Amino acid sequence: MDPPPKSWSIHTRSEISAKYEVLERVGSGAYADVYRGRRLSDGSAVALKEVHDYQSAFREIEALRVLQGSQNVVVMHEFFWREDENAVIVLEFLRTDLATVIKEASAAANGGGLGIGEVKRWMMQVLSGVDACHRNMIVHRDLKPSNLLISDDGVLKLADFGQARILMEPGFDAREENTLPYEHDVSNRETSLQHLQEHGTVSHEEYFRVLDEMKTNISTYDTDKDTYVQDGNTSCLATCTTSDIDDDIWKASFTYEADEEGGNELGCLTSCVGTRWFRAPELLYGSTDYGLEVDLWSLGCVFAELLTLNPLFPGTSDIDQLSRIISVLGNLNEEAWPGCSKLADYARISFGKVENPTGLEACMPNCSSDEVSLVKRLVCYDPARRATAMELLHDKYFSEEPLPVPISELRVPLTRYGQDQDSLDGFHGYNERGSDSDFEDFGTMNTTKTGAGAGFSIQ
């Protein structure tokens, strides 16, 4: 008789059951499942994230190892990983997220919604977490409210690093992917940027000069051969954050990555990362030569949503996403962003000229000029002009009345929005592998369409 097939279930692994009681599965997606658990030694609640994809597990473990001790990054207690087994990452269990804060504030908008002092404190915590990532040359690539988790006492923490990339120092060989994460020496990762965080006195130009020098010489951790899947309600499995899918899937934003087609050379990045509503324009135009700045665009979209309680650019497709951005910011050209014509898909996609872009002010009608200005420093075409997290932490906006409230005064939802949703894994056919880009669907066709903001054509 043939031996029974090897079980991939977390329940059968003795090394885990010896230390943790697995209570229930609380989220399931295409590349990971999450379970609420209890640590036997002290009864503490934990999240057990079983990751089915090697690269996602590798990235998340390494990123969290590098960021251990950062106050505004989710805590990884330990992980279990051996040959022929899925990685299981043990994380602190956080029951809610910033998406739920926004959702509850929106529902209670007539009763006051979020106070400016609360908004400022949430923003500062997000900035602190992103600053920790960027000082360690980690680009998260999927910043959004549902990946910004919140503890019961109001501490916000970045999570879901399955799409993160770590930009390495010269000499690192990205082909050595067999090395287990804990065997990697990353002790000097912050050396070139360490002085930039001190007292916040470094200029914007100096910060990006150092980054450009590092990007010129670095290798990247691994190649971007990722699975094109929608991840169900496991966008952050550590805390059971919900899927972006709501009642109408055409109004939803999806998270997926794509296989690189043909010769993804060492060090190349994929443009098909992150969630569409928060994806930087360089990614929408197919760039594979980007850096930390894509996170800064996402930050601007998160902050705008926190201030208005509505998503800034809720595109239904990549084309619609670009159309919405261009209708607000104006046409993307060399004047707006020197060098943009070199983007991979720039020549393939053209939009009708927008004579009178609406501007961010129209998207944020009840916000102060300082609040609009803060978002403008992030949501701009030229990546080099985007303010860094460190710069914004020292912005006068956070030192002026009304001051950020103490963390202890933040109103924390009791649970997350949509916690009891069923798994949406495979929903509406997003299981196939392929490219996220809508533009590839058109092949060599000449296509013309008129959108809400501007017409476009694809060659």
Side-chain angles (χ1 to χ4, degrees):
M1 174 182 287
D2 294 332
K6 185 174 182 62
S7 173
W8 294 90
S9 170
I10 193 173
H11 297 280
T12 66
R13 298 172 64 169
S14 59
E15 74 274 20
I16 295 174
S17 60
K19 301 181 71 173
Y20 299 95
E21 179 185 6
V22 181
L23 300 175
E24 60 180 331
R25 188 171 71 171
V26 292
S28 180
Y31 74 89
D33 296 288
V34 65
Y35 301 83
R36 183 172 65 89
R38 183 177 67 88
R39 187 163 53 200
L40 298 178
S41 62
D42 61 4
S44 297
V46 296
L48 298 154
K49 181 174 182 177
E50 183 176 25
V51 186
H52 312 308
D53 177 71
Y54 176 89
Q55 286 193 349
S56 294
F58 197 94
R59 291 171 182 169
E60 184 147 16
I61 291 170
E62 176 65 355
L64 291 177
R65 187 188 74 82
V66 171
L67 294 167
Q68 60 186 343
S70 299
Q71 180 183 8
N72 297 111
V73 175
V74 68
V75 173
M76 176 179 68
H77 296 303
E78 62 178 324
F79 68 90
F80 300 88
W81 202 4
R82 63 187 183 189
E83 190 176 0
D84 297 328
E85 292 279 10
N86 289 331
V88 174
I89 309 172
V90 184
L91 302 150
E92 63 178 323
F93 188 88
L94 304 174
R95 68 182 70 253
T96 194
D97 56 32
L98 193 63
T100 305
V101 170
I102 293 171
K103 184 71 68 173
E104 290 198 355
S106 179
N110 293 334
L114 285 174
I116 297 303
E118 291 179 278
V119 170
K120 288 183 177 182
R121 179 57 65 190
W122 291 126
M123 285 182 173
M124 291 187 71
Q125 293 194 81
V126 177
L127 288 168
S128 177
V130 172
D131 180 52
C133 292
H134 289 186
R135 284 189 285 105
N136 285 283
M137 292 303 291
I138 295 173
V139 54
H140 186 282
R141 302 202 300 182
D142 195 17
L143 293 174
K144 57 184 177 181
S146 60
N147 281 342
L148 304 173
L149 312 176
I150 301 171
S151 69
D152 291 346
D153 55 2
V155 178
L156 181 146
K157 304 194 178 193
L158 274 62
D160 198 352
F161 285 80
Q163 293 192 41
R165 290 293 297 273
I166 304 178
L167 305 179
M168 306 298 292
E169 289 79 16
F172 176 75
D173 187 349
R175 290 166 293 187
E176 297 177 0
E177 293 186 10
N178 296 343
T179 310
L180 287 176
Y182 273 153
E183 297 174 6
H184 232 19
D185 181 8
V186 291
S187 58
N188 296 319
R189 191 182 312 282
E190 294 190 49
T191 302
S192 299
L193 293 177
Q194 186 66 38
H195 71 286
L196 299 186
Q197 67 173 318
E198 295 176 1
H199 311 301
T201 57
V202 67
S203 70
H204 182 92
E205 291 75 16
E206 173 68 6
Y207 185 95
F208 279 103
R209 183 189 67 77
V210 173
L211 287 184
D212 287 341
E213 289 178 358
M214 296 178 73
K215 286 170 63 179
T216 299
N217 297 305
I218 60 174
S219 301
T220 47
Y221 201 144
D222 55 326
T223 56
D224 264 345
K225 294 182 178 179
D226 298 301
T227 307
Y228 170 58
V229 290
Q230 174 226 333
D231 192 33
N233 60 343
T234 58
S235 61
C236 179
L237 296 167
T239 60
C240 331
T241 34
T242 78
S243 165
D244 292 301
I245 295 182
D246 292 318
D247 294 334
D248 183 352
I249 65 165
W250 301 112
K251 295 179 180 178
S253 58
F254 301 105
T255 302
Y256 33 62
E257 295 193 33
D259 271 348
E260 293 292 337
E261 293 187 5
N264 180 23
E265 297 180 1
L266 190 64
C268 287
L269 297 167
T270 180
S271 61
C272 300
V273 292
T275 303
R276 179 177 291 124
W277 293 1
F278 305 91
R279 193 180 299 162
E282 57 264 38
L283 298 178
L284 293 165
Y285 272 103
S287 174
T288 58
D289 182 25
Y290 56 85
L292 305 175
E293 301 89 350
V294 298
D295 285 347
L296 302 176
W297 174 279
S298 300
L299 266 185
C301 296
V302 171
F303 286 175
E305 186 167 343
L306 192 56
L307 287 162
T308 65
L309 307 181
N310 290 296
L312 182 58
F313 301 121
T316 58
S317 66
D318 284 1
I319 295 169
D320 183 55
Q321 189 72 23
L322 278 172
S323 178
R324 290 171 185 265
I325 292 170
I326 288 171
S327 69
V328 173
L329 300 186
N331 291 94
L332 177 58
N333 51 40
E334 288 287 329
E335 182 179 355
W337 175 8
C340 69
S341 59
K342 297 178 182 178
L343 292 170
D345 291 330
Y346 186 84
R348 297 177 62 193
I349 311 156
S350 60
F351 287 81
K353 186 175 182 181
V354 178
E355 299 290 348
N356 297 299
T358 59
L360 283 170
E361 291 85 355
C363 301
M364 306 172 64
N366 298 317
C367 296
S368 70
S369 59
D370 286 342
E371 289 162 350
V372 174
S373 176
L374 186 78
V375 173
K376 280 185 174 181
R377 295 181 67 188
L378 295 164
V379 179
C380 58
Y381 283 133
D382 189 349
R385 290 180 50 222
R386 295 173 197 159
T388 67
M390 181 182 61
E391 286 177 322
L392 291 183
L393 278 169
H394 293 87
D395 192 271
K396 64 182 180 64
Y397 175 71
F398 296 107
S399 60
E400 295 177 346
E401 297 286 345
L403 295 173
V405 303
I407 291 177
S408 60
E409 294 182 14
L410 290 170
R411 291 175 287 177
V412 179
L414 296 177
T415 186
R416 67 174 179 80
Y417 175 73
Q419 180 171 334
D420 296 326
Q421 286 186 353
D422 292 331
S423 169
L424 298 174
D425 180 21
F427 190 53
H428 286 274
Y430 279 87
N431 267 337
E432 71 272 14
R433 297 165 69 86
S435 173
D436 174 33
S437 176
D438 303 304
F439 310 135
E440 295 192 6
D441 295 339
F442 294 103
T444 58
M445 296 172 59
N446 294 319
T447 303
T448 304
K449 181 182 176 74
T450 301
F456 68 84
S457 65
I458 298 175
Q459 303 300 322

